[in-house]
Coordinates of all heavy atoms in Angstrom, one line a residue:
M244 N 136.9 82.0 21.9 CA 138.0 82.3 21.1 C 137.7 82.1 19.5 O 137.2 81.0 19.2 CB 139.1 81.5 21.5 CG 140.5 81.6 20.8 SD 141.3 83.0 21.4 CE 142.6 83.1 20.2
M245 N 138.0 83.0 18.7 CA 137.6 82.8 17.3 C 138.8 82.1 16.7 O 139.9 82.2 17.0 CB 137.5 84.3 16.6 CG 136.4 85.1 17.2 SD 134.9 84.9 16.2 CE 133.9 86.0 17.1
N246 N 138.4 81.3 15.5 CA 139.5 80.7 14.8 C 139.4 81.2 13.3 O 138.6 81.9 13.0 CB 139.5 79.2 14.9 CG 138.1 78.6 14.2 OD1 137.7 79.1 13.3 ND2 137.6 77.7 14.9
E247 N 140.5 80.9 12.6 CA 140.6 81.4 11.2 C 139.5 80.9 10.3 O 139.2 81.5 9.3 CB 141.9 81.0 10.6 CG 143.1 81.9 10.8 CD 142.8 83.3 10.4 OE1 142.4 83.6 9.3 OE2 143.1 84.2 11.2
K248 N 138.7 79.9 10.7 CA 137.7 79.3 9.8 C 136.5 80.2 9.9 O 135.6 80.2 9.0 CB 137.3 77.9 10.3 CG 138.5 76.9 10.0 CD 138.0 75.6 9.4 CE 139.0 74.7 9.3 NZ 140.1 74.8 8.4
Q249 N 136.3 81.0 10.9 CA 135.2 81.9 11.0 C 135.5 83.1 10.2 O 136.5 83.8 10.4 CB 135.0 82.3 12.5 CG 134.4 81.2 13.3 CD 134.3 81.5 14.8 OE1 135.2 81.9 15.4 NE2 133.1 81.3 15.2
H250 N 134.6 83.4 9.2 CA 134.8 84.5 8.3 C 133.5 84.8 7.6 O 132.5 84.1 7.7 CB 135.8 84.2 7.3 CG 135.5 83.1 6.3 ND1 135.5 81.8 6.6 CD2 135.0 83.2 5.0 CE1 135.1 81.1 5.5 NE2 134.8 82.0 4.6
A251 N 133.5 86.0 6.9 CA 132.3 86.4 6.1 C 132.8 86.8 4.7 O 134.0 87.3 4.6 CB 131.6 87.5 6.8
V252 N 132.1 86.5 3.7 CA 132.4 86.9 2.4 C 131.3 87.6 1.7 O 130.1 87.2 1.9 CB 132.8 85.6 1.6 CG1 133.1 86.0 0.1 CG2 133.9 84.9 2.1
I253 N 131.6 88.7 0.9 CA 130.6 89.4 0.2 C 131.1 89.6 -1.3 O 132.3 89.8 -1.4 CB 130.1 90.7 0.9 CG1 128.8 91.1 0.2 CG2 131.1 91.7 0.8 CD1 128.0 92.1 1.0
I254 N 130.3 89.4 -2.2 CA 130.8 89.6 -3.6 C 130.6 91.1 -4.0 O 129.6 91.6 -3.8 CB 129.9 88.7 -4.7 CG1 130.0 87.3 -4.2 CG2 130.4 88.9 -6.0 CD1 131.4 86.6 -4.3
Y255 N 131.7 91.6 -4.7 CA 131.5 93.0 -5.2 C 131.9 93.1 -6.6 O 132.5 92.1 -7.1 CB 132.4 94.0 -4.4 CG 133.9 93.8 -4.4 CD1 134.7 94.5 -5.4 CD2 134.6 92.9 -3.6 CE1 136.0 94.4 -5.5 CE2 135.9 92.8 -3.7 CZ 136.7 93.5 -4.6 OH 138.1 93.3 -4.7
T256 N 131.5 94.1 -7.3 CA 131.6 94.2 -8.7 C 132.5 95.4 -9.1 O 132.3 96.5 -8.4 CB 130.3 94.4 -9.4 OG1 129.4 93.3 -9.1 CG2 130.4 94.4 -11.0
E257 N 133.5 95.2 -9.9 CA 134.3 96.3 -10.5 C 134.0 96.4 -11.9 O 133.8 95.5 -12.6 CB 135.8 95.9 -10.3 CG 136.4 96.0 -9.0 CD 137.9 95.8 -8.9 OE1 138.5 95.4 -9.9 OE2 138.5 96.1 -7.8
V258 N 133.8 97.6 -12.3 CA 133.5 98.0 -13.7 C 134.6 98.7 -14.4 O 135.1 99.8 -13.9 CB 132.2 98.8 -14.0 CG1 131.9 99.1 -15.4 CG2 131.0 98.0 -13.3
E259 N 135.2 98.2 -15.4 CA 136.4 98.7 -16.1 C 135.8 99.3 -17.4 O 135.1 98.6 -18.1 CB 137.5 97.7 -16.4 CG 138.7 98.2 -17.0 CD 139.8 97.2 -17.2 OE1 139.5 96.0 -16.9 OE2 140.8 97.5 -17.9
R260 N 136.3 100.5 -17.7 CA 135.8 101.1 -19.0 C 137.0 101.2 -19.9 O 138.1 101.7 -19.5 CB 135.3 102.6 -18.7 CG 134.0 102.5 -17.9 CD 133.6 103.9 -17.5 NE 132.3 103.8 -16.8 CZ 132.1 103.5 -15.5 NH1 133.1 103.2 -14.8 NH2 130.9 103.5 -14.9
K261 N 136.7 100.7 -21.1 CA 137.8 100.7 -22.1 C 137.3 101.2 -23.4 O 136.1 101.1 -23.7 CB 138.4 99.2 -22.4 CG 139.2 98.7 -21.3 CD 139.7 97.4 -21.8 CE 140.8 96.9 -20.8 NZ 141.3 95.6 -21.2
I262 N 138.2 101.8 -24.2 CA 137.8 102.3 -25.6 C 138.3 101.2 -26.6 O 139.5 100.9 -26.5 CB 138.4 103.7 -25.9 CG1 138.0 104.7 -24.9 CG2 138.1 104.1 -27.3 CD1 136.5 105.0 -24.9
D263 N 137.5 100.6 -27.4 CA 137.9 99.6 -28.3 C 138.5 100.2 -29.6 O 138.7 101.5 -29.7 CB 136.8 98.6 -28.6 CG 135.6 99.2 -29.4 OD1 135.8 100.3 -30.0 OD2 134.6 98.5 -29.5
L264 N 138.8 99.4 -30.5 CA 139.5 99.8 -31.8 C 138.6 100.8 -32.5 O 139.0 101.6 -33.4 CB 139.7 98.6 -32.7 CG 141.2 98.1 -32.8 CD1 141.8 98.0 -31.5 CD2 141.3 96.8 -33.6
Y265 N 137.2 100.7 -32.4 CA 136.3 101.5 -33.1 C 135.8 102.7 -32.3 O 134.9 103.3 -32.6 CB 135.2 100.7 -33.6 CG 135.5 99.4 -34.4 CD1 135.6 98.2 -33.8 CD2 136.0 99.6 -35.7 CE1 136.0 97.1 -34.5 CE2 136.4 98.5 -36.4 CZ 136.4 97.2 -35.8 OH 136.9 96.2 -36.5
Y266 N 136.6 103.1 -31.3 CA 136.3 104.2 -30.4 C 135.0 104.1 -29.7 O 134.3 105.1 -29.4 CB 136.5 105.5 -31.1 CG 137.8 105.7 -31.7 CD1 138.0 105.5 -33.1 CD2 138.9 106.0 -30.9 CE1 139.3 105.6 -33.6 CE2 140.1 106.2 -31.4 CZ 140.4 106.0 -32.8 OH 141.6 106.1 -33.3
K267 N 134.5 102.8 -29.4 CA 133.3 102.6 -28.7 C 133.8 102.2 -27.2 O 134.7 101.6 -27.0 CB 132.5 101.5 -29.3 CG 132.0 101.8 -30.7 CD 131.1 100.6 -31.2 CE 129.7 100.7 -30.4 NZ 128.9 99.7 -30.9
L268 N 132.9 102.8 -26.3 CA 133.2 102.6 -24.9 C 132.7 101.2 -24.5 O 131.6 100.8 -24.8 CB 132.4 103.6 -24.1 CG 132.6 103.4 -22.6 CD1 134.0 103.7 -22.1 CD2 131.6 104.4 -21.8
Q269 N 133.6 100.4 -24.0 CA 133.2 99.1 -23.6 C 133.3 99.0 -22.0 O 134.2 99.6 -21.5 CB 134.3 98.0 -24.1 CG 134.3 98.0 -25.6 CD 133.1 97.4 -26.2 OE1 132.5 96.5 -25.7 NE2 132.7 97.9 -27.3
K270 N 132.3 98.5 -21.4 CA 132.3 98.4 -19.9 C 132.4 96.9 -19.6 O 131.5 96.1 -20.0 CB 130.9 98.8 -19.4 CG 130.8 100.5 -19.5 CD 129.5 100.9 -18.9 CE 129.4 102.4 -19.1 NZ 128.2 102.9 -18.5
I271 N 133.4 96.5 -18.8 CA 133.6 95.2 -18.5 C 133.4 95.0 -17.0 O 134.2 95.6 -16.2 CB 135.1 94.7 -18.9 CG1 135.3 95.0 -20.4 CG2 135.3 93.3 -18.6 CD1 136.6 95.0 -20.9
A272 N 132.5 94.2 -16.6 CA 132.2 94.0 -15.1 C 132.9 92.7 -14.7 O 132.8 91.7 -15.3 CB 130.8 94.0 -14.9
T273 N 133.6 92.8 -13.5 CA 134.2 91.6 -13.0 C 133.7 91.5 -11.5 O 133.5 92.5 -10.9 CB 135.7 91.6 -13.1 OG1 136.2 92.8 -12.4 CG2 136.3 91.5 -14.5
H274 N 133.6 90.3 -11.0 CA 133.1 90.1 -9.7 C 134.3 89.5 -8.8 O 135.0 88.7 -9.3 CB 131.9 89.1 -9.7 CG 130.8 89.5 -10.5 ND1 130.0 90.5 -10.1 CD2 130.4 89.2 -11.7 CE1 129.1 90.7 -11.1 NE2 129.3 89.9 -12.2
H275 N 134.4 90.0 -7.6 CA 135.4 89.6 -6.6 C 134.9 89.3 -5.3 O 133.7 89.8 -5.0 CB 136.5 90.7 -6.6 CG 137.0 91.1 -7.9 ND1 138.0 90.4 -8.6 CD2 136.7 92.1 -8.7 CE1 138.3 91.0 -9.8 NE2 137.5 92.1 -9.9
E276 N 135.7 88.7 -4.5 CA 135.2 88.5 -3.1 C 135.9 89.5 -2.2 O 137.2 89.6 -2.3 CB 135.7 87.0 -2.7 CG 134.8 85.9 -3.3 CD 135.1 84.5 -2.8 OE1 136.1 84.5 -2.1 OE2 134.4 83.7 -3.1
L277 N 135.1 90.0 -1.2 CA 135.7 90.8 -0.1 C 135.5 89.8 1.1 O 134.4 89.4 1.4 CB 134.8 92.1 0.0 CG 135.2 93.0 1.2 CD1 136.6 93.5 1.0 CD2 134.3 94.2 1.2
T278 N 136.6 89.4 1.7 CA 136.6 88.4 2.8 C 137.1 89.0 4.1 O 138.1 89.7 4.1 CB 137.4 87.2 2.4 OG1 137.1 86.7 1.1 CG2 137.4 86.1 3.4
I279 N 136.4 88.7 5.1 CA 136.9 89.2 6.5 C 137.0 88.0 7.4 O 136.2 87.0 7.4 CB 135.9 90.1 7.2 CG1 136.4 90.7 8.5 CG2 134.5 89.5 7.4 CD1 135.8 91.8 9.0
T280 N 138.3 87.9 8.0 CA 138.6 86.9 9.0 C 138.9 87.6 10.3 O 139.0 88.7 10.4 CB 139.8 86.0 8.6 OG1 140.9 86.8 8.6 CG2 139.6 85.4 7.2
P281 N 139.1 86.8 11.3 CA 139.4 87.4 12.7 C 140.7 88.3 12.6 O 140.9 89.2 13.5 CB 139.6 86.3 13.7 CG 138.7 85.2 13.1 CD 138.9 85.4 11.6
K282 N 141.5 88.1 11.6 CA 142.8 88.8 11.5 C 142.9 89.7 10.4 O 143.7 90.8 10.4 CB 143.9 87.8 11.5 CG 144.1 87.1 12.8 CD 145.3 86.2 12.8 CE 145.3 85.5 14.1 NZ 146.4 84.5 14.2
T283 N 142.2 89.6 9.2 CA 142.5 90.3 8.0 C 141.1 90.6 7.2 O 140.1 89.9 7.4 CB 143.4 89.6 7.0 OG1 142.7 88.3 6.6 CG2 144.7 89.3 7.6
V284 N 141.2 91.6 6.4 CA 140.1 91.9 5.4 C 140.9 91.8 4.1 O 141.8 92.5 3.8 CB 139.5 93.3 5.6 CG1 138.5 93.5 4.5 CG2 138.8 93.3 7.0
K285 N 140.4 91.0 3.1 CA 141.1 90.7 1.9 C 140.2 91.2 0.8 O 139.0 90.9 0.7 CB 141.4 89.3 1.7 CG 142.4 88.8 2.6 CD 142.7 87.2 2.4 CE 143.6 86.8 3.4 NZ 143.8 85.4 3.4
T286 N 140.7 91.9 -0.2 CA 140.0 92.3 -1.5 C 140.8 91.7 -2.6 O 141.8 91.1 -2.4 CB 140.0 93.8 -1.6 OG1 141.2 94.4 -2.0 CG2 139.5 94.5 -0.3
A287 N 140.3 91.8 -3.8 CA 141.1 91.3 -5.0 C 142.4 92.1 -5.1 O 143.3 91.5 -5.8 CB 140.3 91.5 -6.3
R288 N 142.5 93.3 -4.6 CA 143.7 94.1 -4.9 C 144.5 94.4 -3.6 O 145.7 94.9 -3.8 CB 143.2 95.4 -5.5 CG 142.6 95.3 -6.8 CD 142.3 96.6 -7.5 NE 141.4 96.5 -8.6 CZ 141.8 96.2 -9.8 NH1 143.0 95.9 -10.0 NH2 140.9 96.1 -10.8
A289 N 144.0 94.2 -2.4 CA 144.7 94.5 -1.2 C 144.2 93.6 -0.1 O 143.3 92.9 -0.1 CB 144.3 95.9 -0.8
E290 N 145.1 93.6 1.0 CA 144.9 92.9 2.2 C 145.2 93.9 3.3 O 146.2 94.5 3.4 CB 145.7 91.7 2.3 CG 145.4 90.8 3.5 CD 146.1 89.5 3.5 OE1 146.3 89.0 2.4 OE2 146.4 89.0 4.6
F291 N 144.3 94.0 4.3 CA 144.4 94.8 5.5 C 144.3 94.0 6.8 O 143.6 93.0 6.7 CB 143.3 95.8 5.6 CG 143.2 96.7 4.3 CD1 142.3 96.4 3.4 CD2 144.0 97.8 4.2 CE1 142.1 97.2 2.3 CE2 143.9 98.6 3.1 CZ 143.0 98.3 2.1
T292 N 145.2 94.3 7.7 CA 145.0 93.6 9.1 C 143.7 94.2 9.7 O 143.3 95.3 9.3 CB 146.2 93.8 9.9 OG1 146.3 95.2 10.2 CG2 147.5 93.3 9.3
L293 N 143.2 93.5 10.5 CA 142.0 94.1 11.2 C 142.2 95.3 12.0 O 141.4 96.3 12.1 CB 141.3 93.0 12.1 CG 139.8 93.0 12.2 CD1 139.2 92.9 10.9 CD2 139.3 91.9 13.1
S294 N 143.5 95.5 12.5 CA 143.8 96.7 13.2 C 143.9 97.9 12.3 O 143.7 99.1 12.7 CB 145.2 96.6 13.9 OG 146.2 96.3 13.0
Q295 N 144.1 97.7 10.9 CA 144.1 98.8 9.9 C 142.8 99.2 9.5 O 142.6 100.3 8.9 CB 144.9 98.4 8.7 CG 146.3 98.2 8.9 CD 147.0 97.6 7.6 OE1 146.7 96.6 7.2 NE2 147.9 98.4 7.1
V296 N 141.7 98.4 9.8 CA 140.3 98.7 9.4 C 139.6 99.4 10.5 O 139.4 98.8 11.6 CB 139.5 97.4 8.9 CG1 138.2 97.8 8.5 CG2 140.4 96.8 7.8
L297 N 139.2 100.6 10.4 CA 138.6 101.4 11.3 C 137.0 101.1 11.5 O 136.5 101.1 12.6 CB 138.9 102.9 11.2 CG 140.3 103.2 11.0 CD1 140.5 104.8 10.5 CD2 141.1 103.0 12.2
D298 N 136.4 101.0 10.3 CA 134.9 100.7 10.3 C 134.5 100.3 9.0 O 135.3 100.4 7.9 CB 134.2 102.1 10.6 CG 132.8 101.8 11.1 OD1 132.4 100.7 11.4 OD2 132.0 102.8 11.2
V299 N 133.2 99.8 8.9 CA 132.6 99.4 7.6 C 131.2 100.0 7.6 O 130.6 100.0 8.7 CB 132.4 97.8 7.6 CG1 131.7 97.5 6.3 CG2 133.9 97.2 7.5
S300 N 130.9 100.7 6.5 CA 129.6 101.3 6.5 C 129.0 100.9 5.1 O 129.6 100.4 4.2 CB 129.7 102.8 6.6 OG 130.5 103.4 5.6
Y301 N 127.6 101.2 4.9 CA 127.0 100.9 3.8 C 126.0 102.0 3.3 O 125.3 102.4 4.3 CB 126.2 99.5 3.9 CG 125.3 99.0 2.9 CD1 125.9 98.7 1.7 CD2 123.9 99.0 3.0 CE1 125.1 98.3 0.6 CE2 123.1 98.6 1.9 CZ 123.7 98.2 0.8 OH 122.9 97.7 -0.3
K302 N 125.9 102.3 2.1 CA 125.0 103.2 1.5 C 124.1 102.5 0.4 O 124.7 102.2 -0.7 CB 125.7 104.4 0.9 CG 124.9 105.4 0.3 CD 124.0 106.2 1.2 CE 123.3 107.3 0.4 NZ 122.2 107.9 1.2
P303 N 122.9 102.2 0.7 CA 122.1 101.6 -0.3 C 121.6 102.6 -1.4 O 121.3 103.7 -1.1 CB 120.9 101.0 0.4 CG 120.8 101.9 1.6 CD 122.2 102.4 2.0
F304 N 121.5 102.1 -2.6 CA 120.9 102.9 -3.7 C 119.6 102.4 -4.1 O 118.7 103.2 -4.6 CB 121.8 102.9 -4.9 CG 123.1 103.6 -4.7 CD1 124.3 103.1 -4.9 CD2 123.1 105.0 -4.3 CE1 125.5 103.8 -4.6 CE2 124.3 105.8 -4.0 CZ 125.5 105.1 -4.2
S305 N 119.3 101.2 -3.9 CA 118.0 100.6 -4.3 C 117.9 99.3 -3.3 O 118.8 99.0 -2.6 CB 117.9 100.2 -5.7 OG 118.8 99.1 -6.0
S306 N 116.9 98.5 -3.5 CA 116.7 97.4 -2.7 C 117.8 96.3 -3.2 O 118.0 95.3 -2.5 CB 115.4 96.7 -2.8 OG 115.1 96.5 -4.2
E307 N 118.4 96.5 -4.4 CA 119.2 95.5 -5.0 C 120.7 95.9 -4.9 O 121.6 95.0 -5.1 CB 118.8 95.3 -6.5 CG 117.4 95.0 -6.6 CD 117.1 93.6 -6.9 OE1 118.0 92.9 -7.4 OE2 116.0 93.1 -6.4
A308 N 121.0 97.2 -4.7 CA 122.4 97.6 -4.9 C 122.8 98.7 -4.0 O 122.0 99.4 -3.4 CB 122.7 98.0 -6.3
G309 N 124.1 98.7 -3.7 CA 124.6 99.8 -2.9 C 126.1 99.8 -2.8 O 126.8 99.0 -3.6
I310 N 126.7 100.6 -2.0 CA 128.2 100.7 -1.8 C 128.6 100.4 -0.4 O 128.1 101.0 0.5 CB 128.7 102.1 -2.3 CG1 128.4 102.4 -3.8 CG2 130.3 102.1 -2.1 CD1 128.9 103.6 -4.2
L311 N 129.5 99.4 -0.2 CA 130.0 99.2 1.1 C 131.4 99.9 1.1 O 132.1 99.8 0.2 CB 130.3 97.6 1.2 CG 130.8 97.1 2.4 CD1 129.7 97.0 3.5 CD2 131.6 95.8 2.3
Y312 N 131.5 100.6 2.2 CA 132.7 101.4 2.4 C 133.5 100.8 3.4 O 133.1 100.5 4.6 CB 132.4 102.8 2.8 CG 131.7 103.6 1.8 CD1 130.3 103.7 1.8 CD2 132.4 104.2 0.8 CE1 129.6 104.5 0.8 CE2 131.7 105.0 -0.2 CZ 130.3 105.1 -0.2 OH 129.7 105.9 -1.2
L313 N 134.8 100.5 3.1 CA 135.9 100.0 4.0 C 136.6 101.2 4.5 O 137.4 101.8 3.7 CB 136.6 98.9 3.4 CG 137.5 98.0 4.2 CD1 136.6 97.2 5.1 CD2 138.3 97.1 3.3
H314 N 136.6 101.6 5.8 CA 137.3 102.7 6.3 C 138.6 102.2 7.0 O 138.5 101.4 7.9 CB 136.5 103.5 7.4 CG 135.1 103.9 6.9 ND1 134.9 105.2 6.5 CD2 133.9 103.3 6.8 CE1 133.7 105.3 6.1 NE2 133.0 104.2 6.2
T315 N 139.7 102.6 6.3 CA 141.0 102.1 6.8 C 141.9 103.3 7.1 O 141.6 104.4 6.9 CB 141.7 101.3 5.7 OG1 142.2 102.1 4.7 CG2 140.8 100.2 5.2
N316 N 143.1 102.9 7.8 CA 144.0 104.0 8.1 C 144.7 104.4 6.7 O 145.6 105.3 6.8 CB 145.0 103.5 9.2 CG 145.8 102.3 8.7 OD1 145.6 101.8 7.7 ND2 146.6 101.9 9.6
Q317 N 144.4 103.8 5.6 CA 145.0 104.2 4.3 C 144.0 104.9 3.4 O 144.2 105.2 2.3 CB 145.6 103.0 3.6 CG 146.6 102.3 4.4 CD 147.0 101.0 3.8 OE1 146.9 100.8 2.6 NE2 147.5 100.0 4.6
G318 N 142.8 105.2 4.0 CA 141.8 105.8 3.2 C 140.4 105.0 3.2 O 140.4 103.9 3.9
V319 N 139.5 105.5 2.5 CA 138.1 104.8 2.4 C 138.1 104.1 1.0 O 138.3 104.7 0.0 CB 137.0 105.8 2.6 CG1 135.6 105.1 2.5 CG2 137.0 106.5 4.0
F320 N 137.7 102.9 1.0 CA 137.7 102.1 -0.2 C 136.2 101.6 -0.4 O 135.6 101.0 0.4 CB 138.5 100.8 -0.1 CG 140.0 101.1 0.0 CD1 140.5 101.4 1.3 CD2 140.8 101.1 -1.1 CE1 141.9 101.7 1.4 CE2 142.1 101.5 -0.9 CZ 142.7 101.8 0.3
P321 N 135.6 102.0 -1.6 CA 134.2 101.7 -1.9 C 134.1 100.4 -2.7 O 135.0 100.1 -3.6 CB 133.8 102.9 -2.7 CG 135.1 103.3 -3.5 CD 136.2 103.1 -2.6
F322 N 133.1 99.6 -2.4 CA 132.8 98.4 -3.1 C 131.4 98.3 -3.5 O 130.5 98.5 -2.7 CB 133.2 97.2 -2.2 CG 134.6 97.2 -1.8 CD1 135.0 97.7 -0.6 CD2 135.5 96.5 -2.6 CE1 136.3 97.7 -0.2 CE2 136.9 96.5 -2.2 CZ 137.3 97.1 -1.0
N323 N 131.1 98.2 -4.8 CA 129.7 98.0 -5.3 C 129.3 96.6 -5.1 O 129.9 95.6 -5.5 CB 129.8 98.3 -6.9 CG 130.0 99.6 -7.2 OD1 129.6 100.6 -6.7 ND2 131.0 99.8 -8.1
I324 N 128.2 96.5 -4.3 CA 127.6 95.2 -4.0 C 126.2 95.1 -4.3 O 125.5 96.1 -4.5 CB 127.8 94.9 -2.4 CG1 127.1 95.9 -1.6 CG2 129.3 94.8 -2.1 CD1 127.1 95.6 -0.1
H325 N 125.7 93.9 -4.5 CA 124.3 93.7 -5.0 C 123.6 92.7 -4.0 O 122.7 91.9 -4.4 CB 124.3 93.1 -6.4 CG 124.9 94.1 -7.3 ND1 124.2 95.1 -7.8 CD2 126.2 94.2 -7.8 CE1 124.9 95.9 -8.6 NE2 126.1 95.3 -8.7
S326 N 124.0 92.7 -2.7 CA 123.4 91.8 -1.7 C 123.4 92.5 -0.4 O 124.1 93.5 -0.2 CB 124.1 90.5 -1.6 OG 125.5 90.6 -1.3
N327 N 122.6 92.0 0.6 CA 122.6 92.6 1.9 C 123.8 92.4 2.6 O 124.3 91.2 2.9 CB 121.4 92.0 2.6 CG 121.1 92.7 3.9 OD1 122.1 93.2 4.6 ND2 119.9 92.6 4.4
P328 N 124.6 93.5 3.0 CA 125.8 93.3 3.8 C 125.8 93.2 5.3 O 126.8 93.2 5.9 CB 126.5 94.7 3.4 CG 125.4 95.6 3.4 CD 124.2 94.9 2.8
Q329 N 124.6 93.0 5.8 CA 124.5 93.0 7.2 C 125.3 91.9 7.9 O 125.9 92.2 8.9 CB 122.9 92.9 7.7 CG 122.8 93.4 9.0 CD 123.2 94.8 9.4 OE1 122.9 95.8 8.7 NE2 124.1 95.0 10.3
T330 N 125.3 90.8 7.4 CA 126.1 89.6 7.9 C 127.6 90.1 8.0 O 128.3 89.8 9.0 CB 125.9 88.4 7.3 OG1 124.4 88.0 7.3 CG2 126.6 87.2 7.8
F331 N 128.0 90.6 6.8 CA 129.4 91.0 6.7 C 129.7 92.1 7.8 O 130.8 91.9 8.5 CB 129.7 91.5 5.3 CG 131.1 91.8 5.0 CD1 132.0 90.8 4.5 CD2 131.6 93.1 5.3 CE1 133.3 91.0 4.3 CE2 133.0 93.3 5.0 CZ 133.8 92.3 4.6
I332 N 128.9 93.2 7.9 CA 129.1 94.2 8.9 C 129.2 93.6 10.3 O 129.9 93.9 11.1 CB 128.1 95.3 8.7 CG1 128.4 96.0 7.3 CG2 128.2 96.3 9.8 CD1 127.3 96.9 6.8
D333 N 128.2 92.8 10.6 CA 128.1 92.2 12.0 C 129.3 91.4 12.3 O 129.8 91.4 13.4 CB 126.8 91.3 12.1 CG 125.5 92.1 12.1 OD1 125.5 93.4 12.3 OD2 124.4 91.6 11.9
T334 N 129.7 90.6 11.3 CA 130.9 89.7 11.4 C 132.2 90.7 11.8 O 133.0 90.4 12.7 CB 131.3 88.9 10.3 OG1 130.1 88.0 10.0 CG2 132.5 88.0 10.5
F335 N 132.3 91.8 11.1 CA 133.4 92.7 11.3 C 133.3 93.3 12.6 O 134.3 93.2 13.4 CB 133.3 93.9 10.2 CG 134.2 95.0 10.6 CD1 135.6 95.0 10.4 CD2 133.7 96.1 11.2 CE1 136.4 96.0 10.8 CE2 134.5 97.2 11.6 CZ 135.9 97.1 11.3
R336 N 132.2 93.6 13.1 CA 132.0 94.3 14.4 C 132.2 93.3 15.5 O 132.8 93.5 16.6 CB 130.7 95.0 14.5 CG 130.6 96.1 13.6 CD 129.6 97.1 13.9 NE 129.8 98.3 12.9 CZ 128.9 98.8 12.3 NH1 127.6 98.5 12.3 NH2 129.1 99.9 11.4
S337 N 131.9 92.0 15.3 CA 132.2 91.0 16.3 C 133.7 90.7 16.4 O 134.2 90.3 17.5 CB 131.5 89.7 16.0 OG 132.1 89.0 14.9
F338 N 134.5 90.9 15.4 CA 135.9 90.7 15.4 C 136.6 91.9 16.1 O 137.7 91.7 16.6 CB 136.5 90.5 14.0 CG 136.0 89.2 13.4 CD1 136.2 89.0 12.0 CD2 135.7 88.1 14.2 CE1 135.8 87.8 11.4 CE2 135.3 86.9 13.6 CZ 135.4 86.7 12.2
K339 N 136.1 93.0 16.0 CA 136.7 94.3 16.5 C 136.4 94.2 18.0 O 137.0 94.6 18.9 CB 136.1 95.6 16.0 CG 136.5 95.8 14.6 CD 138.0 96.0 14.4 CE 138.5 97.4 14.5 NZ 139.8 97.6 14.1

């Protein structure tokens, strides 16, 4: 039996683009946690029950970066990550 303390966390990056007073493009990167527990998947902007999450997939771009895709009944949500997501994906699959 799994308990709430068992979870996996991966850090993802969001890049916001803004135009400053001098019409220069500013890119602001923020880091957030994507957390999975036996009951939920939490992002900085949303929370899904595990029954709403259909799958998790990963597309690497280099040895250092890639996109983790959270497939839900509300659509597919991409997350830019810079670490190996295998533990996160394995944890998700063990909860399903």
Side-chain angles (χ1 to χ4, degrees):
M244 181 82 188
M245 302 263 178
N246 63 38
E247 272 304 311
K248 297 225 184 289
Q249 292 178 301
H250 67 283
V252 176
I253 195 162
I254 303 297
Y255 67 94
T256 305
E257 286 184 349
V258 178
E259 183 181 357
R260 292 168 177 83
K261 287 185 172 182
I262 304 294
D263 68 12
L264 256 42
Y265 305 102
Y266 301 103
K267 291 182 79 175
L268 178 64
Q269 300 291 319
K270 292 182 183 178
I271 302 162
T273 55
H274 303 285
H275 306 279
E276 288 184 348
L277 180 61
T278 306
I279 186 167
T280 69
K282 295 183 180 177
T283 62
V284 177
K285 296 178 187 175
T286 74
R288 301 184 190 278
E290 183 173 329
F291 303 97
T292 63
L293 215 54
S294 62
Q295 292 176 298
V296 181
L297 308 172
D298 198 11
V299 176
S300 61
Y301 176 66
K302 174 72 174 165
F304 290 124
S305 68
S306 61
E307 309 259 328
I310 298 180
L311 183 80
Y312 294 97
L313 196 61
H314 304 263
T315 75
N316 60 0
Q317 298 172 28
V319 178
F320 296 86
F322 298 93
N323 294 312
I324 61 171
H325 299 279
S326 59
N327 186 331
Q329 198 56 55
T330 300
F331 187 88
I332 293 169
D333 291 345
T334 302
F335 166 78
R336 294 201 172 130
S337 75
F338 292 159
K339 288 298 268 192

